[in-house]
Amino acid sequence: MLYETFNSLKEAHGVDYFIPRVSDEIVQNLNSKFELREYQKEALGRFDFYFNGYQKRQFPAQILFHMATGSGKTLIMASNILYLYNLGYRNFIFFVNSTNIIEKTKDNFLNPLSEKYLFALKIKLVPDINRGSEEKQVDIKEVQNLEAVNQEDINIIFTTIQGLHTRLNNPKENSVTYEDFEDKDVVLISDEAHHLQTLTKSKLSGSELEEKRSWEFTVERIFKSNPKNILLEFTATIDLGNQNIREKYKDKIIFQYDLKQFRLDKYSKEIEVLQADLDPTDRALQAVILSQYRRKIAEKYKKNIKPVLLLKSKTIKESKENYEGFLTKIKNLSSKDIQEIYSRAKDTKLEKAFNYFQKEKINFDNLIRELQEDFSEEKCMLLDSENVAEEKQLKLNSLESKNNELRAIFAVNMLNEGWDVLNLFDIVRLYDTRDGKWVHGKYKPGNTTMGEAQLIGRGARYFPFQLDEVQDRYKRKFDEDVGNELRIIETLHYHSFHNPKYIDEIKNTLTEIGILPERYVQKELFIKDSFKETEFWKKGVIFINDRIQNPRAEIFSLQDAKIDDKYRYELRTGVITEEIILDEEKKRKSSKDIAQGKIVYKFDDFGENIVRNALDRFEFYKFQTIRKYFPHIKSVKEFISNYLGNVVIEVLGPKDRINKLTSTQKFEVALFIVKKILEQAKTNTSEFKGTKLFKAQLLRDKFGKNEGRKTLKLDSDCERARELVEMDLRNKDWYAQNEIYGTDEEKNFIKFIDEVIEKLRQKYSDIALLRNERFFQVFDFDEGRAFEPDFVMLLKKRKAKAVSIYQIYIEPKGDQFKDSQGRFESSKEGWKEKFLLEIEKKSGY
């Protein structure tokens, strides 16, 4: 498979092999609110490598991105469009199976006022094919055909695959025709591309006429009409178990990032299935109460999260009935209804909800008033093929917006594909049927269950939030602390009728598609009662530093920012050279016999206008941005004069040209230099740094939340669960917790301490070792990187004239972290060793 070939390049050259290939120019022309994740950067780096390095590139080129629901495929599409514009492509066709996805994508691509608009407000590009020219502002235009379009714009036809097939085979006036593609380079973008594979999947044996009538044949005909055409396919559900599809796509799947990896990387919500022997309306009410509890927890931590419910029916008729029944139930809600839910809540998430309401003095009457307000008719939506106005589609595309008050959506199947939603936290199954069948002695889930699993996959998208600037806002935070009340806003609940056979079926299906692990590893960690009686616990402290914004106050020049001030640039000559490959003397024939030379310029020599034009190419050089990196400048003009003016450039090339550079050549050199400076400024100095002042905090405050108890819930497939080693340390008085759940290296470290403990007792009267399961972080001095030492050890010296207590951070590491020299200094973890060695010398308290 192609992606496996690319994977081998990562193994040979390092995990970051593809990521540096992502152009800053592409990133700067995307909406800055959508920060590219590491796997997205890798996908884009692979895309660049395919077109600019891969020796087996196909003509025309067909590429498929197999990426999980919720992993940001549309942002990859937008990036690819910008990249291909730079390669000279201007004409794009976006097609998909569903009309509602078309409307959503048009909003994301064309509407700058949309919260999900993907591009920068002003797109500024200089195509690779014309790099010497000035940059131009590029517009994105929706067009109906490709005749008479502006070749400076990005022109996109948006259509369903059915619509494209019909328009091409039954052409009308101003409609796109096959002739449109004869002399144009076209990029076809297929979303939910598994719908395009019908012909390949079945290898129909029908007539040639039947083949020509298929959607897949229509796309193939467009695609193959020009060897420069490109077909980009995106899907989360390619059936590689089908031999025909596997054979066709073996050299086309450029990136594989499935739901299982998405979950293991913590980008998804946790999934929990709740079953209740209740009628549909009461099952919905149970979900409503849980949703309101979730909203309360979010508000407690000042997070603007409005949880949404999806209530799914089997038919349009049933959906309307359930919608009306729900509104009636909410309107006439009584304390008795709430009491009935409360009476069944023991040992469930609902019990936590009611305990919270009680603690916050929210009685049943108050709760009813809240629910009647939050789930009133205007805040509920009925959606089906008979109720699918454009206004509803736009509301569905903006559910996370502060101005969108929708809390509940009633639907059948319309949202199974193409629905981008982050704040869906509850899906309620309002029916109790199965449509699977037995095949060769094995029960195979039907289309209903598969559709439900896909919908759960859509709802599993993580709602981004962070409690502090150190946390990754896009990842789950409480797998190692599932008792934390904020876990509720990392969890999607799927509510169904009590039907054990169905529950097994949906769980197996979810496991098969990768969104649910086969099993969990759950462990309890707690502080021993005996340790709670010690002075260390009652009065002891732990010293921790803070992360602060790096003021860069010491930077007064490029050198202070560790940026080079000397560069070499080889002038492009346009000279044609011939070489006879088998000629032993390797004689070269050139169109001109040109004397080569070199000359040194200062940046000042190019003139302020040329330098400023080069700077204007990058958002980075806007005054408000650049001042963050060079805080003492008063203007861009001062930056050009005092910081860039003395930069030295050695220009190599034909003597008759380097002495008299044209304005275009000066601009090319300036562009090269300012881009190099930008790259160094971003990487050589950090946004943050760790303070050298370590402040004392009570040990029991850091390790004692929830009475010192923490529950770890680990996916059995995750790296930590695979490496987990248990040690029973209940009888070791020097170890503060009940057990350790760690790696072999950590286990060996514990054995080492146990072996030398008597020697330590000769020098220290009190000894305590604690495992740091995300109880605290410290921050390195250089970049403010968060570091969670595996252990902290406290030692109280015997017979000291004054109380003398030592605190030691400990991080056991195995050989897999060593660098090529067999040491740790240059390894990926080397910065941690450096920081630990610096703490004793540089820290204060």
Side-chain angles (χ1 to χ4, degrees):
M1 301 297 282
L2 179 60
Y3 71 86
E4 293 174 326
T5 301
F6 282 27
N7 289 349
S8 65
L9 290 171
K10 276 179 63 177
E11 292 172 7
H13 299 283
V15 293
D16 293 335
Y17 179 68
F18 293 107
I19 290 175
R21 302 183 73 97
V22 181
S23 163
D24 284 338
E25 184 178 25
I26 301 300
V27 175
Q28 289 159 7
N29 282 293
L30 295 172
N31 190 330
S32 59
K33 72 185 284 187
F34 300 121
E35 183 180 347
L36 286 171
R37 301 171 185 175
E38 290 303 296
Y39 66 83
Q40 291 172 323
K41 291 177 184 176
E42 178 169 336
L44 295 177
R46 288 175 178 233
F47 189 70
D48 172 75
F49 180 77
Y50 183 87
F51 287 101
N52 192 27
Y54 184 52
Q55 298 300 306
K56 295 183 179 180
R57 182 208 151 159
Q58 302 294 307
F59 293 91
Q62 182 175 357
I63 295 172
L64 185 140
F65 292 85
H66 182 202
M67 296 177 67
T69 297
S71 60
K73 296 188 290 293
T74 316
L75 188 60
I76 300 295
M77 291 180 201
S79 304
N80 289 345
I81 288 171
L82 296 173
Y83 180 90
L84 292 172
Y85 183 93
N86 271 350
L87 294 190
Y89 290 87
R90 301 291 183 270
N91 302 314
F92 300 81
I93 301 178
F94 174 91
F95 58 92
V96 71
N97 187 53
S98 166
T99 302
N100 62 309
I101 300 178
I102 290 290
E103 295 304 319
K104 175 208 70 169
T105 307
K106 285 167 67 172
D107 201 42
N108 296 348
F109 278 22
L110 303 172
N111 180 11
L113 299 179
S114 168
E115 293 199 7
K116 296 183 180 179
Y117 182 65
L118 295 168
F119 298 97
L121 291 179
K122 290 184 179 180
I123 300 174
K124 296 181 178 181
L125 294 169
V126 176
D128 283 338
I129 58 172
N130 195 19
R131 273 295 177 194
S133 67
E134 294 283 339
E135 70 174 6
K136 294 181 179 179
Q137 184 167 325
V138 177
D139 294 324
I140 301 177
K141 297 287 181 64
E142 180 184 9
V143 296
Q144 299 305 314
N145 58 56
L146 301 179
E147 290 302 315
V149 295
N150 187 340
Q151 288 304 306
E152 298 298 321
D153 293 338
I154 293 171
N155 304 294
I156 308 179
I157 295 173
F158 294 92
T159 179
T160 61
I161 178 62
Q162 303 95 320
L164 180 65
H165 179 72
T166 301
R167 290 162 72 181
L168 284 169
N169 292 287
N170 301 282
K172 296 180 181 179
E173 188 176 357
N174 296 324
S175 175
V176 65
T177 66
Y178 283 115
E179 287 71 28
D180 282 351
F181 306 107
E182 291 179 355
D183 59 348
K184 294 180 178 63
D185 304 338
V186 177
V187 179
L188 297 111
I189 303 174
S190 172
D191 196 9
E192 306 293 349
H194 50 281
H195 291 293
L196 188 61
Q197 298 152 10
T198 52
L199 189 64
T200 299
K201 192 169 187 175
S202 58
K203 284 291 183 184
L204 296 173
S205 57
S207 67
E208 183 179 342
L209 181 60
E210 286 176 323
E211 281 196 12
K212 289 184 177 181
R213 286 174 178 166
S214 75
W215 303 337
E216 193 170 358
F217 183 86
T218 296
V219 174
E220 287 278 325
R221 181 174 170 184
I222 300 170
F223 172 56
K224 292 181 177 178
S225 65
N226 185 334
K228 290 185 179 180
N229 285 349
I230 297 171
L231 172 58
L232 305 181
E233 299 184 66
F234 297 83
T235 183
T237 53
I238 188 169
D239 183 10
L240 292 177
N242 182 291
Q243 189 57 41
N244 295 331
I245 289 180
R246 187 174 183 85
E247 180 64 25
K248 177 177 178 178
Y249 284 94
K250 66 182 181 182
D251 59 351
K252 298 174 177 62
I253 303 177
I254 194 172
F255 189 51
Q256 171 98 338
Y257 191 75
D258 58 19
L259 267 173
K260 180 177 179 180
Q261 193 59 52
F262 190 59
R263 168 176 52 80
L264 287 172
D265 288 345
K266 300 187 177 184
Y267 286 112
S268 70
K269 298 186 186 90
E270 181 72 357
I271 309 295
E272 289 190 8
V273 179
L274 298 181
Q275 49 185 319
D277 190 7
L278 296 169
D279 64 44
T281 305
D282 285 335
R283 202 150 66 236
L285 178 58
Q286 180 177 278
V288 163
I289 292 171
L290 194 60
S291 179
Q292 200 67 1
Y293 165 60
R294 187 178 279 111
R295 185 168 198 169
K296 294 288 185 186
I297 292 297
E299 289 172 350
K300 176 180 176 180
Y301 290 88
K302 296 180 173 57
K303 302 300 163 193
N304 182 37
I305 300 175
K306 179 208 63 182
V308 171
L309 288 82
L310 175 68
L311 301 103
K312 195 171 189 302
S313 300
K314 186 72 174 172
T315 66
I316 292 176
K317 180 176 180 292
E318 289 176 6
S319 187
K320 289 178 179 176
E321 291 171 354
N322 288 325
Y323 172 73
E324 291 166 0
F326 176 83
L327 293 177
T328 300
K329 183 77 171 182
I330 294 295
K331 185 177 180 180
N332 300 314
L333 201 56
S334 68
S335 295
K336 182 182 176 183
D337 296 321
I338 305 295
Q339 180 64 42
E340 287 182 5
I341 300 292
Y342 174 64
S343 67
R344 300 186 186 96
K346 190 169 177 57
D347 298 326
T348 69
K349 289 292 191 300
L350 280 165
E351 183 179 29
K352 282 189 174 183
F354 282 112
N355 288 343
Y356 180 81
F357 296 149
Q358 189 175 18
K359 180 183 174 184
E360 297 298 317
K361 295 181 172 53
I362 302 171
N363 60 33
F364 287 176
D365 289 337
N366 292 335
L367 180 60
I368 288 169
R369 281 193 290 272
E370 284 189 19
L371 298 181
Q372 289 175 333
E373 169 63 25
D374 279 18
F375 292 88
S376 58
E377 184 173 358
E378 61 269 19
K379 296 177 184 177
C380 298
M381 177 188 287
L382 177 64
L383 182 74
D384 54 57
S385 57
E386 298 172 9
N387 293 279
V388 64
E390 184 178 342
E391 181 185 354
K392 286 189 175 183
Q393 293 185 29
L394 294 176
K395 281 188 175 181
L396 285 171
N397 198 35
S398 62
L399 282 171
E400 299 94 350
S401 170
K402 295 177 182 179
N403 300 321
N404 187 324
E405 294 188 329
L406 277 179
R407 288 296 301 276
I409 299 163
F410 289 76
V412 182
N413 290 320
M414 286 199 67
L415 302 178
N416 286 9
E417 289 185 341
W419 186 28
D420 295 331
V421 59
L422 302 175
N423 56 336
L424 176 64
F425 288 95
D426 294 274
I427 299 175
V428 188
R429 190 179 195 255
L430 296 174
Y431 50 95
D432 184 32
T433 56
R434 301 163 68 208
D435 62 355
K437 57 186 178 181
W438 290 91
V439 180
H440 304 304
K442 184 179 179 182
Y443 187 82
K444 184 178 180 181
N447 291 334
T448 298
T449 304
M450 292 303 297
E452 289 161 355
Q454 289 176 358
L455 183 60
I456 291 169
R458 305 206 76 80
R461 300 172 183 217
Y462 190 78
F463 190 97
F465 74 95
Q466 58 188 163
L467 300 178
D468 57 55
E469 59 188 14
V470 177
Q471 288 182 334
D472 187 331
R473 60 186 284 107
Y474 299 105
K475 289 188 175 184
R476 292 193 308 276
K477 298 154 187 67
F478 303 109
D479 286 4
E480 289 84 14
D481 185 16
V482 294
N484 194 302
E485 62 184 355
L486 279 163
R487 180 69 166 181
I488 192 72
I489 57 177
E490 293 193 331
T491 306
L492 170 74
H493 287 100
Y494 184 67
H495 305 258
S496 80
F497 186 74
H498 179 71
N499 183 335
K501 287 185 177 180
Y502 171 74
I503 296 301
D504 287 344
E505 183 179 321
I506 190 66
K507 283 185 175 180
N508 289 337
T509 305
L510 291 170
T511 300
E512 190 174 308
I513 67 173
I515 197 60
L516 200 66
E518 290 187 20
R519 63 185 180 87
Y520 288 104
V521 176
Q522 188 157 316
K523 300 294 180 182
E524 300 291 333
L525 186 72
F526 57 85
I527 299 292
K528 295 174 187 173
D529 290 338
S530 57
F531 185 71
K532 290 180 181 179
E533 299 302 318
T534 65
E535 288 295 306
F536 275 150
W537 185 255
K538 292 178 179 178
K539 299 180 181 179
V541 298
I542 182 172
F543 287 91
I544 300 172
N545 71 337
D546 294 315
R547 185 169 89 151
I548 60 172
Q549 198 82 28
N550 184 2
R552 299 185 175 93
E554 73 285 0
I555 295 179
F556 291 89
S557 66
L558 295 183
Q559 293 91 328
D560 291 340
K562 303 173 186 174
I563 296 173
D564 295 335
D565 58 0
K566 294 182 175 62
Y567 297 89
R568 287 167 61 91
Y569 181 84
E570 190 166 351
L571 201 65
R572 287 185 289 184
T573 64
V575 172
I576 301 170
T577 302
E578 291 182 354
E579 182 175 326
I580 302 172
I581 294 176
L582 298 179
D583 188 347
E584 292 182 2
E585 297 182 18
K586 295 287 182 183
K587 294 178 180 177
R588 290 190 176 189
K589 297 179 180 179
S590 175
S591 58
K592 292 183 181 179
D593 187 12
I594 298 174
Q596 300 292 310
K598 59 184 177 181
I599 189 169
V600 174
Y601 287 96
K602 281 191 173 183
F603 224 172
D604 272 350
D605 299 335
F606 290 172
E608 184 181 335
N609 285 342
I610 285 177
V611 175
R612 189 177 283 273
N613 283 340
L615 296 179
D616 286 344
R617 277 287 319 283
F618 302 97
E619 288 293 323
F620 175 83
Y621 289 108
K622 301 297 182 187
F623 179 69
Q624 292 303 322
T625 301
I626 197 171
R627 196 177 183 187
K628 295 177 184 176
Y629 294 84
F630 304 95
H632 300 291
I633 64 170
K634 302 294 188 297
S635 65
V636 174
K637 184 173 183 177
E638 181 189 345
F639 177 72
I640 293 172
S641 174
N642 295 353
Y643 288 73
L644 299 181
N646 292 321
V647 168
V648 173
I649 310 108
E650 185 180 69
V651 179
L652 293 79
K655 283 185 178 180
D656 62 335
R657 294 191 182 186
I658 60 175
N659 289 303
K660 296 179 180 179
L661 295 179
T662 65
S663 294
T664 298
Q665 289 168 334
K666 289 178 181 178
F667 176 74
E668 287 179 358
V669 177
L671 203 61
F672 171 80
I673 301 302
V674 299
K675 186 177 181 183
K676 290 290 185 184
I677 290 172
L678 176 159
E679 291 167 353
Q680 294 174 79
K682 285 185 173 181
T683 57
N684 293 358
T685 63
S686 172
E687 287 291 312
F688 302 96
K689 67 178 184 178
T691 62
K692 293 177 182 176
L693 175 66
F694 282 66
K695 298 175 182 177
Q697 299 188 36
L698 286 171
L699 186 69
R700 67 173 184 268
D701 285 348
K702 302 306 292 185
F703 284 82
K705 292 178 181 177
N706 299 319
E707 298 182 346
R709 291 183 174 272
K710 182 171 277 198
T711 302
L712 285 67
K713 188 176 182 181
L714 305 175
D715 188 323
S716 59
D717 290 323
C718 77
E719 185 176 353
R720 183 174 180 190
R722 293 197 302 268
E723 295 179 351
L724 205 63
V725 177
E726 294 184 33
M727 291 184 75
D728 188 346
L729 298 168
R730 284 174 290 186
N731 297 322
K732 305 296 181 183
D733 62 354
W734 48 269
Y735 194 75
Q737 291 139 316
N738 59 315
E739 294 186 53
I740 178 176
Y741 309 110
T743 62
D744 281 333
E745 289 78 23
E746 291 161 358
K747 177 182 176 182
N748 292 332
F749 166 70
I750 294 292
K751 285 183 176 180
F752 166 74
I753 295 296
D754 197 34
E755 290 168 1
V756 300
I757 193 66
E758 293 308 321
K759 288 184 179 179
L760 291 173
R761 290 192 198 280
Q762 294 173 17
K763 191 172 181 180
Y764 303 101
S765 60
D766 298 320
I767 302 170
L769 182 68
L770 295 95
R771 164 77 181 180
N772 178 25
E773 285 288 354
R774 301 206 164 181
F775 290 109
F776 71 90
Q777 297 174 320
V778 288
F779 306 94
D780 81 304
F781 302 135
D782 292 337
E783 298 182 32
R785 287 168 289 192
F787 174 31
E788 297 174 359
D790 290 333
F791 298 93
V792 60
M793 182 175 244
L794 303 173
L795 304 162
K796 183 178 180 181
K797 199 167 185 179
R798 285 187 181 277
K799 299 177 182 178
K801 292 180 180 179
V803 176
S804 184
I805 297 176
Y806 294 91
Q807 174 185 314
I808 306 170
Y809 296 131
I810 302 166
E811 178 89 355
K813 289 293 179 191
D815 289 345
Q816 69 270 28
F817 292 100
K818 289 183 177 178
D819 58 29
S820 57
Q821 304 301 315
R823 301 172 64 83
F824 289 99
E825 286 90 334
S826 301
S827 73
K828 197 171 183 178
E829 299 282 287
W831 68 271
K832 294 181 180 178
E833 182 184 51
K834 176 176 179 285
F835 175 47
L836 290 175
L837 293 171
E838 289 175 337
I839 286 177
E840 187 175 359
K841 297 177 183 177
K842 296 184 178 181
S843 64
Y845 53 88

